[in-house]
C-alpha cells in the first residue's frame, strides 16, 4: 500500500476512533461510577469476558492487580507501575487453535519504546504472544501483534502500517482461523497491515505458545532485541473479550456497533 493510501486509512480510523468508540466508553463510564484503586494482589471482577459458543453462556473471569491499577466503570487505567494478572484464565484459553481477541484501548505517551497491552507467554519472555504499541525508536507508535513460539525470534508479526495517536480510543480485534490471520481496527479490516514476519495464511494462536505461565493486561515484552526487560503499559484498556472461534467481518462490525451503543 502506498504512503498516500496509508495516510487516508489512518485519518479514517482516527475519525472513527474519536466519533464512536470514545463516546460509547465514556457514556457507560459516566453513569455515576466512582474511581476504584486496586493495590497489589487485589482481585478485580469481570476483567475478561470468555465466550463459550455462539449461543452458549459467557464466563466472567476476574483478574488480580499487581502493583497500582485504577478503574472507573469498565475502564482499567495503567500508570506504568502496575498490571492485571489474568493467569487464572490460562487453562481456559491455552488449547485454543483458533479464535478471536477483542479489546478497546488508548495509550499515553512515555519515553518507553514499547507499550505492552496484552501478553501471553512464559515469565522470561522467550515464548510469547503480545499486542503492543511501538517497537524500535520513540517515533514508532504503530500497533504490533506478534507471536514468538520459541527461540526469541518472531514466527509471525504484523503491524498497523501507521502510528496510532496518544489519547485516542481504538477497538482492536485479532482473528485467527484455520485459513490464517487477520485483524480489525475500529470495525475496518486491516487489509493494509504490514507483515514483519510470516504472512496472512499462517495459523498461530494460544495453543502454539509453549510457555503458558503468564497472561497479563498492561505488562509484557517482545523479542530481547527490542525489549530486554518486561515493561508496563501507560493508558487505558477496556472490554477484553475472547471467543474460541474466528469472528466474521460482519460479526466484528456488529461488535463495534455494540461498543458504539455503549452496551
Amino acid at each position: 500500500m502506498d504512503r498516500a493510501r496509508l495516510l487516508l486509512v489512518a485519518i479514517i480510523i482516527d475519525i472513527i476512533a474519536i466519533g464512536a468508540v470514545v463516546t460509547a466508553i465514556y457514556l457507560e463510564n459516566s453513569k455515576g461510577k466512582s474511581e476504584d484503586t486496586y493495590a497489589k494482589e487485589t482481585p478485580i471482577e469481570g476483567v475478561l469476558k470468555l465466550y463459550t459458543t455462539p449461543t452458549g453462556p459467557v464466563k466472567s473471569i476476574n483478574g488480580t492487580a499487581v502493583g497500582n491499577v485504577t478503574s472507573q466503570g469498565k475502564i482499567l487505567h495503567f500508570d506504568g507501575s502496575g498490571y492485571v494478572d489474568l493467569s487464572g484464565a490460562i487453562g481456559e484459553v491455552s488449547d485454543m487453535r483458533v479464535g478471536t481477541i477483542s479489546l478497546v484501548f488508548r495509550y499515553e505517551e512515555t519515553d518507553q519504546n514499547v507499550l505492552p497491552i496484552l501478553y501471553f507467554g512464559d515469565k522470561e519472555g522467550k515464548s510469547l504472544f503480545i499486542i503492543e504499541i511501538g517497537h524500535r525508536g520513540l517515533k514508532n507508535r504503530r500497533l504490533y501483534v506478534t507471536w514468538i513460539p520459541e527461540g526469541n525470534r518472531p514466527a509471525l508479526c504484523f503491524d498497523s502500517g501507521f502510528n496510532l495517536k496518544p489519547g485516542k480510543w481504538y477497538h482492536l480485534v485479532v482473528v485467527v482461523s484455520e485459513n490464517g490471520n487477520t485483524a480489525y481496527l475500529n470495525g475496518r479490516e486491516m487489509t493494509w497491515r504490514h507483515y514483519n514476519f510470516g504472512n496472512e495464511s499462517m495459523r498461530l494462536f494460544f495453543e502454539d505458545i509453549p510457555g503458558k505461565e503468564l497472561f497479563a493486561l498492561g505488562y509484557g515484552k517482545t523479542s530481547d532485541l527490542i525489549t530486554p526487560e518486561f515493561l508496563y503499559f501507560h493508558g487505558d484498556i477496556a472490554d477484553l473479550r475472547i471467543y474460541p472461534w474466528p469472528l466474521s467481518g460482519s460479526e466484528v462490525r456488529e461488535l463495534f456497533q455494540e461498543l458504539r451503543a455503549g452496551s
Side-chain angles (χ1 to χ4, degrees):
M1 180 178 291
D2 59 37
R3 184 179 180 85
R5 190 177 175 194
L6 268 177
L7 179 59
L8 178 60
V9 169
I11 291 172
I12 292 172
I13 290 292
D14 189 53
I15 291 172
I16 295 173
I18 296 171
V21 178
V22 77
T23 301
I25 292 294
Y26 275 102
L27 281 175
E28 177 66 22
N29 187 46
S30 63
K31 296 177 182 177
K33 295 178 180 177
S34 61
E35 183 174 84
D36 295 314
T37 300
Y38 301 97
K40 186 175 181 180
E41 303 301 324
T42 303
I44 306 178
E45 294 184 358
V47 176
L48 167 63
K49 292 180 180 178
L50 181 62
Y51 289 70
T52 55
T53 68
T55 58
V58 179
K59 295 182 179 179
S60 180
I61 296 179
N62 299 337
T64 302
V66 179
N68 295 320
V69 178
T70 59
S71 73
Q72 190 168 16
K74 294 180 179 179
I75 301 171
L76 293 168
H77 178 69
F78 303 84
D79 65 2
S81 64
Y83 68 95
V84 176
D85 190 340
L86 285 166
S87 298
I90 289 176
E92 301 274 5
V93 303
S94 62
D95 293 334
M96 291 184 186
R97 282 178 50 83
V98 300
T100 302
I101 301 168
S102 169
L103 53 80
V104 179
F105 69 92
R106 64 178 177 179
Y107 77 92
E108 297 173 354
E109 195 54 85
T110 85
D111 58 0
Q112 291 179 191
N113 63 324
V114 168
L115 293 165
I117 299 171
L118 182 147
Y119 176 90
F120 181 91
D122 65 31
K123 294 181 179 180
E124 294 183 355
K126 306 299 182 184
S127 168
L128 61 94
F129 165 76
I130 187 169
I131 298 171
E132 63 188 292
I133 295 289
H135 222 52
R136 286 192 175 94
L138 293 180
K139 293 184 178 180
N140 183 339
R141 286 299 182 243
R142 296 182 182 184
L143 175 67
Y144 287 81
V145 181
T146 304
W147 286 261
I148 304 179
E150 56 187 350
N152 199 36
R153 178 177 173 82
L156 176 61
C157 174
F158 62 80
D159 67 66
S160 58
F162 58 84
N163 286 348
L164 274 58
K165 294 186 177 181
K168 308 299 182 185
W169 284 104
Y170 295 94
H171 175 222
L172 172 68
V173 179
V174 177
V175 180
V176 177
S177 72
E178 292 292 353
N179 297 319
N181 64 87
T182 189
Y184 298 78
L185 195 60
N186 292 341
R188 292 172 57 89
E189 185 172 8
M190 295 169 60
T191 55
W192 63 86
R193 64 191 182 278
H194 170 255
Y195 282 87
N196 304 283
F197 295 90
N199 56 64
E200 62 186 10
S201 66
M202 295 177 65
R203 184 215 55 77
L204 290 175
F205 207 51
F206 292 121
E207 179 191 64
D208 302 284
I209 304 301
K212 300 175 176 67
E213 298 176 332
L214 177 63
F215 185 12
L217 272 183
Y219 182 71
K221 70 180 296 298
T222 185
S223 166
D224 286 347
L225 296 175
I226 307 299
T227 53
E229 305 294 335
F230 278 77
L231 299 172
Y232 294 90
F233 185 65
H234 295 250
D236 301 298
I237 303 172
D239 213 288
L240 174 63
R241 307 181 185 199
I242 295 178
Y243 303 77
W245 70 89
L247 293 185
S248 66
S250 61
E251 287 174 319
V252 172
R253 289 188 291 273
E254 288 175 6
L255 175 56
F256 183 65
Q257 292 302 322
E258 177 185 330
L259 289 170
R260 290 185 68 179
S263 57

